[in-house]
Amino acid sequence: MKFTYVLPFVGLTTAFVLPEQQVFSELAVESHRSAHSAFDKLPSKDQVVDQVEHSFEKLAVKFDKAVKCSKHALDSAIDYAAEAGNDVTEKVQKTGFDAASWMDSTAHLGSSGHHHHEPNQTVYQLISSSKYTTKLAAAINEYPDLVELLNGTTANYTVFAPVDSAFDKIPDKAPKPSKEFLKKVLLYHVSPEFYPAGKVLVTHTVPTALTVDTVGIGPQRVSTNIGLKGLTVNFYARIIAIDIFGTNGVIHGIDSLLVPPPNVVDIIQFLPGEFSTLELGLTKTGLIPVINDTSAHIGGTVFAPSNFAFQKLGPKNNGFLFSSYGQKYLKALLSYHVVANQTLYSDAYYAVDSVDNTDIPKGVFHIDLPTLLADKSLSVNVVRYGRIIVIRINAFSQVTIEDGIAADGVIQVVSDVLIPPKRIDGMEQHYRGEELTVEDLQERLEPFVENVEL
């Protein structure tokens, strides 16, 4: 029997995460993808936002009623989540959403503003005493430091708690994961920051308790997505219960295990339908080992042109770049897409030489990111209002799929191949999508190919 992860990598999504390659040998988890498409009739973003918020309000009302007559808030929340949670998924599956109007809108997703009972248990106590999280509790109990952490009051934690049925997706014959790996998985479900449902709805990425030395000073992150499955974490884990508050944080129930992501190159290679041209270019120019070498950089951002972005260059430009003569130009071009030591998510920024990571504030955030192309930086503007985020590079190209969270950085998928500027009368002139001949392309790249080694 073959078990695979399938990533719903479509233009309607706003982020993507793939599980770590080690999972395929240590932890095989089945993931499912809808076989039918919802792309035919896509209403506006506002319709989906209204439906999702309304369904979460229904879930909150049911939860509040339940806890008044129950001794266990987590059990009650999951008991009453099915109807409202399925309602969220059903409505979103029926309606989908229009990616263009979603990105262009300035609407703000907020919390429902409902009230909750006063908690009297820690998040660990809620998990360990719930009939729905017995397997998660057993896993946590293997690590006394995790028990102490989730019982502690040093932070207001957020736990994305997989219910027992999430563990049932692990095949019976799957080998038992190592204790070290399992601890990483558990830490990946915990955030040391407080993210109730209202905050999750307006957030693209959430920091976790899993620290890795390959993304700089910041922790590994998970993504949150509103798509065809409703509100999910890392695309595949559907949130089925929200806002179960403890004395030291909040729990959201999820229907699948979360697993740490692989490296940037692994993600690119895993998705040939989107990145086969990019992968070919990185292979021919010898850039794959450069990106993979985490001893030479800590974290990074790859602005990844899709296959369609390369098609927009035209057959003549592609024929030139992928010819034997054009390979040094191709290497210069692709180097302009790679940023080392600076990891730019849509709502957070890690720099290896910074003391603290930075949350990207609402409004406009500007940063110049130095690339692997000598002395050339990308001018990046992040416009953020709630969940609505638009990222533009060099005031022209737009990030179409955000936050490809990787173990060693992040992938931002761009709508166009990024072309280095050229100097005219002493001024840099950026490419703005005008028709580009082979001669124009060669002229722009010529200053950078002299010292290129293949």
Side-chain angles (χ1 to χ4, degrees), residues 15-289:
F16 60 92
V17 175
L18 289 175
E20 192 175 76
Q21 289 293 331
Q22 183 180 1
V23 175
F24 294 108
S25 59
E26 287 198 324
L27 185 64
V29 181
E30 287 186 283
S31 183
H32 304 281
R33 181 180 182 178
S34 176
H36 61 277
S37 174
F39 300 160
D40 296 332
K41 295 182 180 179
L42 299 176
S44 72
K45 176 271 308 174
D46 289 335
Q47 291 176 289
V48 175
V49 171
D50 290 343
Q51 297 284 16
V52 171
E53 287 193 319
H54 175 67
S55 297
F56 269 83
E57 287 172 1
K58 287 177 61 179
L59 178 58
V61 169
K62 285 183 173 290
F63 169 70
D64 285 343
K65 288 181 179 179
V67 296
K68 290 178 180 177
C69 57
S70 172
K71 293 182 179 179
H72 199 281
L74 181 54
D75 284 355
S76 300
I78 295 175
D79 282 337
Y80 280 87
E83 179 182 346
N86 290 336
D87 190 41
V88 172
T89 303
E90 180 181 356
K91 291 180 186 298
V92 176
Q93 285 175 337
K94 286 180 179 179
T95 58
F97 67 89
D98 184 333
S101 63
W102 176 272
M103 296 300 294
D104 292 339
S105 169
T106 57
H108 179 76
L109 280 168
S111 62
S112 58
H114 56 276
H115 300 285
H116 301 276
H117 72 299
E118 187 70 25
N120 58 10
Q121 292 180 296
T122 66
V123 290
Y124 169 77
Q125 290 170 332
L126 287 168
I127 291 168
S128 62
S129 58
S130 170
K131 62 184 178 182
Y132 292 109
T133 53
T134 60
K135 294 178 181 179
L136 175 62
I140 293 173
N141 287 337
E142 293 290 319
Y143 307 91
D145 56 333
L146 286 185
V147 174
E148 182 179 358
L149 178 77
L150 297 178
N151 264 328
T153 57
T154 56
N156 259 331
Y157 299 100
T158 301
V159 181
F160 295 100
V163 295
D164 286 347
S165 58
F167 290 82
D168 293 340
K169 296 178 182 180
I170 303 173
D172 293 336
K173 295 182 180 180
K176 185 177 180 179
S178 67
K179 195 165 183 178
E180 180 184 7
F181 175 71
L182 182 56
K183 186 174 184 179
K184 289 181 179 180
V185 171
L186 293 173
L187 287 170
Y188 197 52
H189 290 77
V190 179
S191 174
E193 299 183 20
F194 188 59
Y195 280 83
K199 188 175 179 181
V200 172
L201 281 170
V202 298
T203 300
H204 278 213
T205 67
V206 175
T208 73
L210 176 61
T211 57
V212 291
D213 57 9
T214 51
V215 293
I217 49 87
Q220 188 54 269
R221 304 178 81 88
V222 295
S223 72
T224 66
N225 324 103
I226 298 178
L228 301 181
K229 294 181 68 175
L231 182 60
T232 60
V233 182
N234 286 3
F235 275 120
Y236 54 87
R238 187 165 64 93
I239 293 180
I240 57 174
I242 60 168
D243 284 355
I244 303 100
F245 289 96
T247 56
N248 62 342
V250 63
I251 299 170
H252 306 301
I254 56 176
D255 68 353
S256 298
L257 288 167
L258 303 175
V259 286
N263 291 343
V264 164
V265 169
D266 293 330
I267 295 175
I268 291 172
Q269 293 175 334
F270 192 81
L271 297 168
E274 290 294 327
F275 298 129
S276 60
T277 309
L278 175 61
E279 182 190 358
L280 176 62
L282 294 173
T283 301
K284 290 173 74 72
T285 58
L287 285 173
I288 281 185

Side-chain angles (χ1 to χ4, degrees), residues 328-350:
K328 58 184 178 180
Y329 293 89
L330 178 62
K331 184 170 185 177
L333 179 65
L334 294 181
S335 296
Y336 190 56
H337 293 72
V338 181
V339 177
N341 300 316
Q342 299 188 54
T343 307
L344 181 69
Y345 303 96
S346 62
D347 52 10
Y349 167 65
Y350 297 171

